[in-house]
Amino acid sequence: KIWLLDGNLIVPIQIASNHKGKLNTMKDRLPVLFGTGLTVGFLEPAQHLIDVPPGKNYNLFSSPEGSTFLETTPRHPRVVHELDFEGMYGVKENGSTHNHKHPDDSFVTDESFLRRPYLLGREKGSACCVKLEKEYYQDLTDDPEVLKHDYLLMGIGHRRTFRKVRNEDQAEGKEKFDYLSRLYAFVPEAPLDLVANSGMFCFGFPEDEEAEHLPYANATKHFNKMEIYNKVYPSCPTVQRATGITQKVGHQDNIIVSYGVNDCIPRMVELHKQDLAHRMVLPLSREDYAPQLKH
């Protein structure tokens, strides 16, 4: 099942193998351009209007019990809605949580010192969620509220820096954005409280080997590099934001994150859960943090 999200409108569709006899639940079938082995169609009811403010960068995820949640902001405040697809408006009665409490960042980076004309935008979701099993964090914390869970759910959020830059046509300057990412983890049961989060970091440019035969990938390495507090970070694109996160099939230790580079090319990186747990729970020394997540 796939959920298409447009503002506060959610449309469920299903992809089914033609030989499994699951086509009767589909309201309308969509044309498949290639192949004959799959059928794609809308489920009944065809759409759900969610009683939340229209927006973007919302995350959908499920609990172990099968409940579905819509996370509209991961932090500052953390806003999560439990959805009920039996009703047209989708949000269960008393199913919304607004939590302003969150753990301290595990490390501090330069954007923490930003003052006008530098501003930080509201935190938004990027990609959610994968399991972070207890084995990866049980030696990093003694918090009983964390350790009582067999696993946490881990996601990636982002925020933008706002800064004025001069140009020839506008003496007062125009706004330019830099994107920063953050790891966060929360308990898998309601009220889905945050228990760990990293400082901000960036996903980097393509490696030289990747860009050698890809002109667009190579071009992205030569412009739009992150600048914060008048410091340029040559390894960080100005625009980089996670768009997907998933468990690597057959490898419990690793996850795969997809992200975009400067609104130009996609990229995927493979990351180890133990490394991610360390970045969320243990403070890192300044020389370790960089603002780039190594993989």
Side-chain angles (χ1 to χ4, degrees):
K1 183 185 295 185
I2 297 175
W3 298 97
L4 303 180
L5 186 63
D6 180 12
N8 61 344
L9 184 68
I10 291 182
V11 180
I13 65 173
Q14 186 176 33
I15 300 176
S17 298
N18 288 341
H19 65 277
K20 290 188 176 180
K22 295 183 179 179
L23 308 184
N24 57 342
T25 60
M26 295 186 184
K27 181 181 180 182
D28 297 301
R29 299 182 188 182
L30 302 176
V32 178
L33 298 182
F34 301 100
T36 59
L38 298 176
T39 296
V40 181
F42 293 108
L43 294 175
E44 280 277 13
Q47 63 184 26
H48 304 278
L49 184 63
I50 308 302
D51 190 17
V52 299
K56 61 180 183 178
N57 305 133
Y58 294 166
N59 286 327
L60 282 167
F61 63 92
S62 297
S63 71
E65 296 78 22
S67 299
T68 302
F69 296 90
L70 180 69
E71 178 189 77
T72 55
T73 53
R75 300 168 81 251
H76 291 297
R78 176 165 177 73
V79 181
V80 183
H81 307 278
E82 183 177 359
L83 302 184
D84 178 7
F85 293 140
E86 298 299 324
M88 189 59 183
Y89 286 92
V91 176
K92 282 192 174 181
E93 185 176 0
N94 300 319
S96 299
T97 60
H98 295 69
N99 194 339
H100 290 266
K101 294 181 179 180
H102 58 82
D104 293 333
D105 296 352
S106 61
F107 55 88
V108 178
T109 45
D110 288 345
E111 93 291 337
S112 301
F113 306 103
L114 297 183
R115 298 293 184 268
R116 288 183 179 277
Y118 295 77
L119 295 172
L120 286 172
R122 179 173 61 89
E123 297 219 12
K124 298 181 179 180
S126 296
C128 190
C129 304
V130 293
K131 285 185 178 180
L132 182 67
E133 290 80 3
K134 189 175 182 177
E135 64 186 89
Y136 301 109
Y137 59 82
Q138 62 184 356
D139 296 329
L140 306 180
T141 179
D142 57 2
D143 186 344
E145 290 300 312
V146 177
L147 294 175
K148 71 181 183 181
H149 300 282
D150 292 331
Y151 67 91
L152 303 173
L153 290 175
M154 177 173 59
I156 301 173
H158 74 277
R159 65 193 309 186
R160 297 189 302 182
T161 67
F162 296 80
R163 57 190 177 90
K164 296 287 187 179
V165 295
R166 295 291 295 270
N167 63 47
E168 296 179 357
D169 301 324
Q170 197 172 13
E172 66 272 18
K174 64 178 181 179
E175 286 188 332
K176 181 179 179 182
F177 306 123
D178 286 311
Y179 282 71
L180 299 164
S181 295
R182 183 196 305 278
L183 297 165
Y184 63 94
F186 56 94
V187 298
E189 290 91 20
L192 306 168
D193 289 335
L194 284 179
V195 294
N197 50 244
S198 71
M200 307 303 293
F201 62 87
C202 86
F203 291 100
F205 287 104
E207 302 289 346
D208 290 338
E209 311 86 77
E210 298 175 61
E212 184 176 356
H213 303 291
L214 299 171
Y216 289 111
N218 190 55
T220 63
K221 302 184 68 172
H222 300 291
F223 66 91
N224 286 351
K225 297 179 179 180
M226 182 181 293
E227 180 181 346
I228 298 177
Y229 232 28
N230 298 319
K231 178 180 179 181
V232 176
Y233 294 87
S235 298
C236 293
T238 294
V239 180
Q240 42 77 39
R241 183 173 66 82
T243 54
I245 184 171
T246 188
Q247 176 74 51
K248 183 178 181 181
V249 176
H251 297 266
Q252 179 183 306
D253 291 339
N254 294 353
I255 66 168
I256 296 174
V257 175
S258 60
Y259 68 96
V261 179
N262 281 336
D263 287 337
C264 183
I265 62 167
R267 190 170 186 244
M268 291 190 291
V269 290
E270 183 176 338
L271 306 171
H272 197 287
K273 289 184 180 181
Q274 188 69 73
D275 181 42
L276 301 179
H278 274 276
R279 291 176 182 272
M280 285 189 291
V281 180
L282 290 182
L284 302 180
S285 63
R286 184 171 178 84
E287 57 268 21
D288 285 339
Y289 79 72
Q292 180 175 3
L293 186 62
K294 297 295 183 181
H295 68 280

